[in-house]
Amino acid sequence: MKDSMTPLEELRHSTAHVLATAVLRLYPDTKLDIGPPTDNGFYYDFDSSHRFSTEDFEKIEAEMAAIVKENQPFERREVTRDEAIAFFEKSGQSYKVGRVGDIPEGEAISFYQNGEFTDLCAGTHVESTGKIGAFKLLTVAGAYHRGDEKQPMLQRIYGTAFANKKELRLHLKQLEEAAKRDHRKLGTQHQLFRIDGEIGSGLPLLLPKGGIIRKELERMISRKLEDYGYDTVYSPHIGSLDLYKTSGHYQKYGDDMYDPISIDDREFLLKPMNCPMHIQAYTFEPRSYRDLPQRYAEFGTVYRMEQSGELSGMVRVRGFTQDDGHIFCTEDQLRDEFKDCVALIKEVMAIFGLETKCRVSLRDPDSDKYIGAAELWDKAEACITDVVEELQIEHTIGIGEAAFYGPKLDFMAFDALGRGWQLGTIQTDFSLPERFKLEYTGSDGGKHTPVMIHRAVFGSIERFMGLLIEHYAADFPLWLAPEQIRLLPITEDQIPFADEVAAKLKKLRFRVTVDPASDPLGAKIKRARHGLIPVMGVIGQREAEARSIAVRSRKNGEEGAMEVDAFVERLLEERSVVEA
């Protein structure tokens, strides 16, 4: 539990205890594990012979309301380790006994009691249950004890709580809208991707329409990368285990990697990260200060062993593609290169109307998880803090959130519902260049070690696509839509002219179709609307004779009749948002 909580976190944490109190009253044989607050509410993990479902929520909420009405004070007391273990062994709470063992020697062990319920808890809480405002139980899901597939599967009840009913109603309305925008549902409905059990969980298959979206994203950012002076590299999907031992990734993240495979008496890994590969591109030939900076970019697919319970559609997967970039530069060039990375990320996020917030992620000086000398870390952290101050970037500080090889500036993007998504990152790294003994010849003729910047704009393309599906509710802007224009001839007499217009648009690389069905115009319009087509062009006898199009768009509604050339110019202008 955090050392300190916000008032809302205290409220939610207290509500989790009320949930546990109610569950024990209703289902006394239940064993408890943990019940922390979360960004959007709280949860509690239970081991019970009763299989919880949403049908139980009304009864549990009624008991919770009774506990709130009882206005039970939250009372803290410290106990010895032996007292804590004896208490939970007597009450049959074996998971709590295990949690007592997690508390380091010398650290205070505290209980919090409300009414008849006592929990192992560091706190903090509101004064009493009567201070809890409005709450709602939301879902129930399976969760492995300690997140370990080898441990028992528990039942996790999620809920949320707010200071008053108005705030709760607003939140529930947002959840309802979020459910409508769920990328897993929309991805199936609009034929964008599928998670195929025959392929394996956590390995999304992009269908043709989803493939168009990814291709357009890659095309857009590739143009940006050219503008910023990047060269494209392509690295293999497997690499030697020695490479990742040298980098330190294997020692730090080996449990998250797939098992090595042996080839010709040498061990190889499915590629978990791209950076060691790009380092090898740098070492291909001797470098001079005149060659720097070297900027490499790749849509590099990597593979991570995510736990089954953590997988989620496109946003948490086992194989994903990073829009990865690595810059090798001198110390004198570092700040300017870092600022260019900031500009690139902000420029791309603006295209999608995504606001961003930043976190400066620094090392915890008391932790031993980092590599590299302290003086190198000081330089790396100074670069980031100097840049955010110079550019007046609003940010928070995350102590202990740095990568093991260097500090970073992390970008959180906020979608149409105001939800935050962790996306881009820029990391300064003095450590890996030293571990790989990278060199360049300086203007003094001596050998020097370059500095490395790791950066990603989208982060994971799959995750970014999941964000966009929900951000736009699958109603994509023209440049990104799988089908951009649908021409709707009213009768078969207008089909030849519609085909002629379609051919003209296809030469300009627009994605256009003609609906030749003999259905009434209203049915054709309804189909196009259901398919979320950005632009419709209605062609009747009058339009065909005047060689014009009656334009309808999802954005502007009816736009009136346009001559074909004016229609084309209108489309080109709307598409140009990503071609500047």
Side-chain angles (χ1 to χ4, degrees), residues 155-220:
Q155 299 182 77
R156 176 171 294 177
I157 295 180
Y158 288 94
T160 193
F162 288 88
N164 54 62
K165 291 182 179 180
K166 181 180 178 181
E167 291 178 1
L168 176 61
R169 281 196 301 269
L170 289 173
H171 180 72
L172 294 177
K173 185 176 181 180
Q174 186 184 57
L175 289 180
E176 183 180 346
E177 180 61 26
K180 294 177 184 176
R181 292 171 177 252
D182 189 319
H183 75 281
R184 294 165 295 185
K185 180 179 73 176
L186 293 176
T188 300
Q189 181 180 336
H190 295 284
Q191 302 174 345
L192 302 176
F193 71 90
R194 69 176 299 193
I195 306 295
D196 187 349
E198 293 298 314
I199 294 174
S201 21
L203 300 169
L205 170 68
L206 291 186
L207 301 173
K209 290 181 179 180
I212 289 171
I213 294 172
R214 172 165 169 167
K215 182 175 65 178
E216 290 299 327
L217 290 173
E218 291 181 353
R219 181 178 292 154
M220 177 275 291

Side-chain angles (χ1 to χ4, degrees), residues 2-3 358-370 377-378 381-382 384-385 395-404 406-410:
K2 294 166 60 175
D3 293 336
C358 294
R359 181 184 69 193
V360 176
S361 298
L362 306 175
R363 75 193 186 283
D364 178 355
D366 296 325
S367 173
D368 61 358
K369 75 175 185 178
Y370 307 103
W377 274 88
D378 291 340
E381 292 181 344
I384 298 180
T385 54
H395 64 278
T396 58
I397 301 292
I399 301 297
E401 298 296 330
F404 75 90
K408 52 184 179 167
L409 183 64
D410 291 321

Side-chain angles (χ1 to χ4, degrees), residues 201-391:
S201 21
L203 300 169
L205 170 68
L206 291 186
L207 301 173
K209 290 181 179 180
I212 289 171
I213 294 172
R214 172 165 169 167
K215 182 175 65 178
E216 290 299 327
L217 290 173
E218 291 181 353
R219 181 178 292 154
M220 177 275 291
I221 204 165
S222 292
R223 285 194 292 265
K224 298 291 184 187
L225 293 174
E226 287 178 12
D227 293 342
Y228 278 84
Y230 284 83
D231 294 314
T232 301
V233 297
Y234 296 89
S235 60
H237 287 252
I238 65 171
S240 76
L241 178 60
D242 293 336
L243 193 65
Y244 292 96
K245 285 183 176 179
T246 301
S247 70
H249 286 101
Y250 188 73
Q251 294 88 322
K252 298 291 182 180
Y253 301 117
D255 290 344
D256 298 323
M257 300 177 184
Y258 285 93
D259 292 338
I261 55 175
S262 181
I263 304 174
D264 296 333
D265 298 325
R266 194 175 181 190
E267 289 189 300
F268 290 80
L269 287 171
L270 271 173
K271 181 175 59 174
M273 293 90 180
N274 296 305
C275 32
M277 299 287 190
H278 291 191
I279 287 172
Q280 299 310 303
Y282 178 88
T283 62
F284 176 70
E285 59 182 321
R287 305 291 179 182
S288 157
Y289 71 96
R290 295 186 180 90
D291 300 322
L292 302 184
Q294 290 282 314
R295 306 182 189 96
Y296 303 142
E298 177 181 14
F299 299 113
T301 302
V302 296
Y303 303 90
R304 311 275 175 85
M305 178 57 85
E306 298 285 357
Q307 298 296 324
S308 297
E310 296 175 343
L311 299 174
S312 178
M314 294 272 284
V315 302
R316 195 70 182 267
V317 296
R318 287 177 171 151
F320 57 94
T321 302
Q322 295 176 309
D323 64 317
D324 230 342
H326 293 92
I327 301 169
F328 301 87
C329 61
T330 68
E331 279 193 51
D332 291 340
Q333 295 168 332
L334 179 59
R335 280 169 175 76
D336 285 341
E337 291 297 318
F338 196 97
K339 286 190 284 187
D340 280 350
C341 291
V342 172
L344 170 62
I345 291 176
K346 286 185 170 292
E347 196 174 307
V348 170
M349 291 302 122
I351 291 173
F352 303 97
L354 294 170
E355 294 185 4
T356 59
K357 290 185 179 179
C358 294
R359 181 184 69 193
V360 176
S361 298
L362 306 175
R363 75 193 186 283
D364 178 355
D366 296 325
S367 173
D368 61 358
K369 75 175 185 178
Y370 307 103
I371 61 173
E375 58 267 23
L376 297 181
W377 274 88
D378 291 340
K379 289 182 182 181
E381 292 181 344
C383 166
I384 298 180
T385 54
D386 289 351
V387 167
V388 296
E389 288 175 8
E390 178 185 343
L391 299 181

Side-chain angles (χ1 to χ4, degrees), residues 138 236 304 447:
L138 300 173
R304 311 275 175 85
K447 296 296 184 183

